[in-house]
Amino acid sequence: MGPRRAPSTRWRLPIAVAAGVIVTVAGLILLRCVYIALRSRLSTDPLTDPHGYELIAGTVLAFPAAAVVAVAAPLLVAPGPGRTRLTKTVTILLVVLTPLPLIALLTA
């Protein structure tokens, strides 16, 4: 048997990998939702989204995706200054990205 590691160090890498996958998928969903909502809102072609379903769905789905990113992103790094820096960066990005679909919906 090898040396025993503390439970926190034993699970750190699997948790970081799982958090990385979750953050990547949720982040891509968030970016896609923002893109769909803004494309629908800024399009000059009325046949792009005639009923506004893309605008509504992009707005509604952006918020849960942003919440998942906000919760899972700090799990990517070990506790300490790296986690604080990552949390601040993710918070700034989410504060900038998340309102865009809502603004697009409210100004439509």
Side-chain angles (χ1 to χ4, degrees), residues 22-106:
I22 291 169
V23 167
T24 301
V25 170
L28 290 173
I29 291 172
L30 173 63
L31 290 176
R32 180 69 177 162
C33 289
V34 170
Y35 170 75
I36 287 172
L38 291 179
R39 183 189 66 179
S40 172
R41 175 63 181 98
L42 300 176
S43 176
T44 57
D45 182 15
L47 296 178
T48 300
D49 186 19
H51 302 292
Y53 292 142
E54 289 181 354
L55 180 61
I56 294 168
T59 303
V60 170
L61 294 177
F63 291 104
V68 169
V69 170
V71 170
L75 298 175
L76 289 172
V77 292
R83 183 176 281 184
T84 305
R85 186 173 37 244
L86 179 67
T87 304
K88 287 179 184 177
T89 305
V90 167
T91 302
I92 290 170
L93 285 173
L94 293 179
V95 165
V96 170
L97 283 178
T98 306
L100 290 177
L102 186 62
I103 292 168
L105 179 68
L106 294 177

